[in-house]
Amino acid sequence: MKKQNISDAVIRRLPRYYRHLNDLCAKGVVRISSHSLGLKMDITASQIRQDFSCFGEFGQQGYGYNVEELRAEIGHILGVDQDHHLIVIGVGNLGHALIQNFRFAQSGFTVDAAFDVSPQVVGTTLNNIPVLPMDSLEDYVKVHKIDVVVLTVPKAAVQDIVDRLTQLGIRGFWNFTNIELEAKDPEVKIENIHFSDSLLTLSYRIANN
Amino acid sequence: MKKQNISDAVIRRLPRYYRHLNDLCAKGVVRISSHSLGLKMDITASQIRQDFSCFGEFGQQGYGYNVEELRAEIGHILGVDQDHHLIVIGVGNLGHALIQNFRFAQSGFTVDAAFDVSPQVVGTTLNNIPVLPMDSLEDYVKVHKIDVVVLTVPKAAVQDIVDRLTQLGIRGFWNFTNIELEAKDPEVKIENIHFSDSLLTLSYRIANN
DNA sequence: TAGATTGTTAATCGATTAACAATC
DNA sequence: TAGATTGTTAATCGATTAACAATC
């Protein structure tokens, strides 16, 4: 293993490997070669071996990879075994949908709480998650160890929230608003779900052949 | 203009350009150089000029780009002026959230209808969009010109829906389920929103410095 | 053992950046 | 005119693919 710099492209492929390996596990497949995994995922065997070799030696010559083992390794690299904790800010339709439907636990996350300004939802629970008032956000973050904050608030509110929480030591944001957040500190990681960028990409593709 | 092959990387940047140009328009900025746009977007001026030059000559030496004009050009390339029509399949929490909150019109899309199996929602309207029974989906698609189908159904149902709609001529799918859809026909474009891939990428980044 | 398949090095390909003549 | 900035060609950089010795 040569611990090189891991490129963004490689990182983006890891969750996809993990997803396919989960599939294979569920199907009871015991071993797989880079060649057949490549066929399934529509990438070259070379790339698969290169990608894995960034992190270690997970295979065996003449055999391939043990699916269960490889799945565990990649899960470990992604941190799914780390019991990360997160909170959701903004319990509108989207925040609601995430809390109700998204399988956070599958990615190793526990949802500790949700926050909102509306008196109508504050005090209720969603999927056993308490909805707390926005006022109490900073105090809450001071006493609980929170790894990631999910941003499902109106976009006007979001940069200010990020600035304040960054100062309190939050290092991960999952942003669903349609703006480009700024994180001064390079330690702070922001991952965006830009619905409109995605739809516009599709729009381009159907418009141009 | 040299009409070369447009790489995936370029296409992915277009919506981001469009977003920033909308910002600039809203702020009343009249002209911008590749250099200052680059500063704002944190990419090189070279890349910006290269990207735009794939599609035409939108600037003027010594001046830069007219913001309003460039915005219109890129909007046109993305197809936002094409009045695309879409339907939403699956009106659970997420489908509901999209119909209620997402500004489809901003990307040039009109939502014509939603479909669901549940008698509880069929017959209602959401944001003036009628919710129709799944049974009527194929008949509906045969008589209405639909460009994109939004997939917010449980993942067990989704590949079958895609296969059937592909046969009826649908060429664009916006997939929110956590599976890798297969489109035999290369004309069929599938754009995925993989929440869990995104969250796992964030997980990796906070776990590894 | 022979066949299969790895991990890794080298070759290729493509994308990003730099440079600069053209020109507003 | 002089300064600024484009569009484009050339140079660089990085990512993907191919090849192959090592070995299970």
Side-chain angles (χ1 to χ4, degrees):
Chain A
M1 158 161 166
K2 33 159 190 174
K3 186 68 182 180
Q4 53 193 196
N5 276 10
I6 315 290
S7 79
D8 190 72
V10 174
I11 297 169
R12 292 268 158 210
R13 280 192 293 269
L14 291 177
R16 194 158 166 257
Y17 287 129
Y18 189 62
R19 193 145 37 80
H20 280 267
L21 289 164
N22 275 322
D23 278 6
L24 290 166
C25 273
K27 281 184 191 145
V29 177
V30 175
R31 62 170 275 257
I32 196 160
S33 66
S34 56
H35 178 74
S36 34
L37 185 56
L39 284 179
K40 186 170 146 67
M41 295 183 63
D42 200 27
I43 52 184
T44 65
S46 252
Q47 178 156 79
I48 290 173
R49 295 204 300 279
Q50 279 279 20
D51 284 351
F52 294 169
S53 77
C54 298
F55 302 100
E57 308 191 0
F58 306 138
Q60 198 168 51
Q61 284 102 326
Y63 176 84
Y65 302 87
N66 176 287
V67 172
E68 175 59 53
E69 209 175 292
L70 184 59
R71 183 192 148 281
E73 290 282 6
I74 293 185
H76 179 69
I77 292 162
L78 288 169
V80 299
D81 52 5
Q82 285 192 27
D83 188 32
H84 285 131
H85 285 253
L86 65 73
I87 57 176
V88 176
I89 307 193
V91 191
N93 283 299
L94 182 57
H96 195 102
L98 286 173
I99 292 171
Q100 293 269 302
N101 294 335
F102 185 69
R103 306 277 101 234
F104 284 98
Q106 259 183 13
S107 301
F109 283 85
T110 304
V111 183
D112 286 354
F115 293 83
D116 205 289
V117 287
S118 159
Q120 263 127 56
V121 289
V122 169
T124 65
T125 65
L126 283 174
N127 212 5
N128 291 318
I129 316 298
V131 180
L132 308 177
M134 271 298 272
D135 294 346
S136 65
L137 174 61
E138 298 189 63
D139 285 342
Y140 185 94
V141 166
K142 282 174 192 160
V143 284
H144 296 81
K145 188 195 155 289
I146 298 300
D147 304 287
V148 164
V149 170
V150 183
L151 300 165
T152 46
V153 283
K155 66 180 177 178
V158 77
Q159 183 68 59
D160 177 58
I161 291 174
V162 169
D163 291 343
R164 280 157 51 206
L165 293 180
T166 297
Q167 290 211 308
L168 295 176
I170 300 292
R171 289 295 167 263
F173 293 93
W174 200 19
N175 173 44
F176 286 79
T177 70
N178 193 28
I179 61 168
E180 207 103 342
L181 291 174
E182 315 255 320
K184 291 94 193 162
D185 188 338
E187 292 272 290
V188 174
K189 310 298 179 190
I190 296 175
E191 169 71 19
N192 299 295
I193 299 266
H194 281 314
F195 290 107
S196 72
D197 285 18
S198 174
L199 183 57
L200 285 175
T201 303
L202 182 58
S203 176
Y204 173 86
R205 293 212 162 100
I206 59 173
N208 302 72
N209 161 32
Chain B
M1 157 159 165
K2 34 161 191 174
K3 186 68 182 180
Q4 54 194 196
N5 277 8
I6 315 291
S7 80
D8 190 72
V10 174
I11 296 169
R12 292 268 157 210
R13 280 193 293 269
L14 292 177
R16 195 158 165 257
Y17 287 128
Y18 189 61
R19 194 145 38 80
H20 279 267
L21 289 164
N22 275 322
D23 279 5
L24 290 166
C25 273
K27 282 185 190 143
V29 177
V30 174
R31 63 171 276 257
I32 196 160
S33 66
S34 56
H35 177 72
S36 35
L37 185 56
L39 285 180
K40 186 170 146 67
M41 295 184 62
D42 200 27
I43 53 185
T44 65
S46 253
Q47 179 156 79
I48 290 174
R49 295 204 300 277
Q50 279 279 19
D51 284 351
F52 293 170
S53 77
C54 297
F55 302 100
E57 310 190 359
F58 305 138
Q60 199 167 52
Q61 284 102 326
Y63 175 84
Y65 301 88
N66 176 285
V67 172
E68 175 58 53
E69 206 176 295
L70 184 59
R71 182 193 150 281
E73 290 283 6
I74 295 186
H76 179 69
I77 293 163
L78 288 169
V80 299
D81 51 5
Q82 286 192 26
D83 187 32
H84 286 130
H85 286 253
L86 65 72
I87 57 176
V88 176
I89 306 193
V91 190
N93 282 298
L94 181 57
H96 195 102
L98 286 173
I99 291 170
Q100 293 269 302
N101 294 334
F102 185 69
R103 306 276 102 235
F104 284 99
Q106 259 183 12
S107 301
F109 283 85
T110 303
V111 184
D112 285 355
F115 293 83
D116 204 289
V117 286
S118 159
Q120 263 127 56
V121 289
V122 168
T124 66
T125 65
L126 284 174
N127 211 7
N128 291 320
I129 316 296
V131 180
L132 308 177
M134 272 299 272
D135 294 347
S136 65
L137 174 62
E138 299 189 62
D139 285 342
Y140 185 94
V141 165
K142 281 174 193 160
V143 284
H144 296 80
K145 188 194 155 292
I146 298 299
D147 303 287
V148 164
V149 170
V150 183
L151 300 164
T152 46
V153 284
K155 66 180 177 179
V158 77
Q159 182 68 59
D160 178 57
I161 290 173
V162 170
D163 291 344
R164 280 158 50 208
L165 293 180
T166 297
Q167 291 212 308
L168 294 176
I170 300 291
R171 289 295 169 262
F173 293 93
W174 200 19
N175 173 43
F176 285 79
T177 71
N178 192 29
I179 62 169
E180 207 102 344
L181 291 174
E182 316 254 320
K184 292 91 193 163
D185 187 339
E187 292 272 290
V188 174
K189 310 299 179 189
I190 296 175
E191 170 70 20
N192 299 294
I193 299 266
H194 282 313
F195 289 109
S196 72
D197 286 18
S198 174
L199 183 57
L200 285 175
T201 302
L202 181 58
S203 175
Y204 173 86
R205 294 213 162 99
I206 60 173
N208 301 73
N209 163 26

